[in-house]
Amino acid sequence: MESAKFNDWFNKKTITKLIEKDIDEKISNQLVNSKSLYKEMESSYRNEFFYKNTLFNKYVLGTYSLNTTVALSEFEIDNSKADFAIINKKKSFVVEIKTDLDTLDKLIYQIEDYYKVFSLVYVLTSENYYYQVYRLVKNTNVGIMVLTKRNTISIRKFAKDDFSKLKHENLFRLLRKEEYEDLIENQFKEVPDVKPIFRYSTYLDMYKQLGLEKSQKLVFNEVLRRINGNDVEYLKRVPLELRWLVYQSHLNREKFERLLNNLQGGI
């Protein structure tokens, strides 16, 4: 199956193998030819990974900056799993990806869920799906991006802010334990001393006292504290086709240096 050669190479296991030098001859050959493999994917099999890697290179490394931006992927918002999101001090938005390999059956329900956390929602699709997506969202605040045949991202319909559907519960779930504790303790002069088992529900009840726009901003500010200095220093030295995979791997300095040494050595 043609997709197997792309899926076998462009996954997190490959990054682990590159770091550990556990590379067999087959993978070594693919690494040497990774650019041509990626080019082949561009022309014949633009899967979800390709869309995400393109988004990451264009927006996180291009329009914005690793110093000021966090990219998230595959996180749950109610009954949906968000494909890709960018959180930045200036602009934050979520992107639902619809490749030529997908259907549009769940799109409207996914969009409804995304508005519970994000006030800006985009759909990224291909030229082939553009008009079908447009018909579904033309009278809404949803934006549309198109991955063109030249593999650039074109905004065909700009998203408009909609804060009316935000939900405290969904925003709060985006945070890790230390993040929501930090948020509440900074916002309230007094925090009840409760047993750990009751802390989440107690803090959530306090969080619900905040206005929705403010509460969204506070959550996004906590997420932005996840920015990793190692990413900023090293990631642009990683080949373009592997950057999204490496970013998602959350490598420490030692592993980053080992990876770069192996990549530069050609294995």
Side-chain angles (χ1 to χ4, degrees):
M1 187 174 180
E2 186 185 26
S3 62
K5 64 181 176 182
F6 303 122
N7 295 333
D8 287 349
W9 174 243
F10 294 105
N11 62 58
K12 287 184 182 180
K13 291 179 181 178
T14 294
I15 302 303
T16 301
K17 288 178 180 179
L18 285 171
I19 292 168
E20 295 174 351
K21 297 184 180 179
D22 178 19
I23 311 237
D24 59 29
E25 185 178 350
K26 179 183 176 184
I27 293 180
S28 297
N29 291 337
Q30 285 182 319
L31 176 59
V32 172
N33 296 307
S34 61
K35 289 188 183 298
S36 60
L37 195 64
Y38 193 73
K39 283 287 185 186
E40 187 180 346
M41 186 161 64
E42 282 182 355
S43 61
S44 65
Y45 191 77
R46 300 197 310 181
N47 60 7
E48 190 171 291
F49 164 75
F50 183 82
Y51 276 67
K52 289 178 180 177
N53 196 53
T54 305
L55 275 168
F56 182 73
N57 280 291
K58 175 178 173 60
Y59 285 103
V60 180
L61 297 180
T63 304
Y64 303 116
S65 164
L66 281 169
N67 290 296
T68 59
T69 307
V70 169
L72 303 174
S73 181
E74 299 300 316
F75 58 99
E76 291 182 0
I77 303 179
D78 263 11
N79 298 313
S80 301
K81 189 172 283 189
D83 288 328
F84 194 93
I86 285 176
I87 294 178
N88 184 281
K89 285 275 188 182
K90 294 181 179 179
K91 181 179 286 189
S92 300
F93 56 93
V94 63
V95 182
E96 172 59 28
I97 295 170
K98 294 299 181 187
T99 75
D100 289 337
L101 308 171
D102 297 321
T103 68
L104 303 180
D105 297 348
K106 298 179 181 178
L107 181 59
I108 296 301
Y109 305 107
Q110 290 170 315
I111 288 169
E112 288 176 357
D113 281 343
Y114 298 162
Y115 272 122
K116 295 170 185 175
V117 171
F118 291 87
S119 44
L120 284 174
V121 177
Y122 276 93
V123 179
L124 172 60
T125 191
S126 68
E127 296 278 11
N128 295 335
Y129 262 162
Y130 169 70
Y131 286 107
Q132 288 174 259
V133 171
Y134 179 76
R135 283 196 292 270
L136 289 171
V137 304
K138 64 180 179 180
N139 296 320
T140 73
N141 291 318
V142 177
I144 305 175
M145 300 174 175
V146 169
L147 184 64
T148 69
K149 293 177 181 178
R150 294 184 177 182
N151 297 307
T152 61
I153 294 177
S154 169
I155 299 180
R156 302 291 176 84
K157 180 178 183 288
F158 282 91
K160 296 179 182 178
D161 277 308
D162 184 352
F163 296 97
S164 67
K165 302 179 181 69
L166 295 176
K167 301 289 184 186
H168 284 102
E169 293 88 346
N170 298 99
L171 280 161
F172 205 65
R173 284 190 203 116
L174 201 62
L175 297 177
R176 299 165 180 167
K177 179 176 180 292
E178 65 273 15
E179 292 170 344
Y180 70 70
E181 289 179 349
D182 177 76
L183 187 158
I184 295 300
E185 289 163 11
N186 284 335
Q187 289 299 307
F188 295 88
K189 291 181 180 178
E190 295 184 13
V191 178
D193 184 16
V194 295
K195 293 180 180 179
I197 193 172
F198 300 120
R199 188 168 294 168
Y200 182 88
S201 59
T202 301
Y203 280 29
L204 174 57
D205 286 340
M206 297 176 73
Y207 177 71
K208 287 179 179 179
Q209 298 174 35
L210 303 171
L212 279 169
E213 289 189 42
K214 179 180 180 179
S215 64
Q216 185 199 54
K217 183 177 180 180
L218 290 170
V219 163
F220 288 174
N221 284 344
E222 286 296 327
V223 173
L224 284 170
R225 294 173 62 183
R226 299 176 192 175
I227 290 172
N228 187 333
N230 293 328
D231 293 344
V232 176
E233 183 179 352
Y234 291 124
L235 202 55
K236 286 191 177 180
R237 293 166 58 192
V238 173
L240 178 146
E241 61 271 12
L242 297 177
R243 286 175 182 167
W244 174 240
L245 288 177
V246 173
Y247 179 83
Q248 283 192 295
S249 299
H250 304 293
L251 306 179
N252 60 29
R253 181 177 294 270
E254 180 189 353
K255 288 183 177 180
F256 244 127
E257 290 180 349
R258 214 182 306 164
L259 171 68
L260 290 170
N261 286 336
N262 287 347
L263 289 171
Q264 291 165 1
I267 308 298

